[in-house]
Amino acid sequence: GINKDPRTENLLLYPNPANTSISIQSDIALNASFTIYDTQGRAIQSSNLNAIKNLIDISHFETGVYFIE
């Protein structure tokens, strides 16, 4: 079978769409990093996730579509 990573098995990212902030939440502290990209593939913001619930400020982003990895 496929080995599942327990850190991402119950991962929540909300709200979608968002205006001022997004939350990334998991059952356990993630101890991971993320990068947000625009539709051109440019990295807009990167940081670490160190808690069960992480709040990410996106209020400075222009209106548009973004991807998170």
Side-chain angles (χ1 to χ4, degrees):
I2 297 173
N3 292 332
K4 294 184 179 180
D5 186 340
R7 297 176 304 161
T8 59
E9 192 167 321
N10 293 313
L11 186 68
L12 299 174
L13 188 143
Y14 61 91
N16 185 14
N19 294 316
T20 58
S21 65
I22 56 174
S23 293
I24 300 177
Q25 185 174 336
S26 181
D27 290 342
I28 59 174
L30 294 172
N31 193 23
S33 62
F34 72 90
T35 302
I36 298 175
Y37 298 93
D38 66 11
T39 56
Q40 303 296 311
R42 295 177 292 220
I44 303 299
Q45 181 173 334
S46 295
S47 190
N48 294 318
L49 303 170
N50 299 319
I52 291 174
K53 185 174 181 181
N54 300 270
L55 189 64
I56 302 164
D57 178 19
I58 60 165
S59 61
H60 58 284
F61 286 21
E62 291 189 29
T63 300
V65 175
Y66 296 88
F67 304 94
I68 188 164
E69 177 179 54

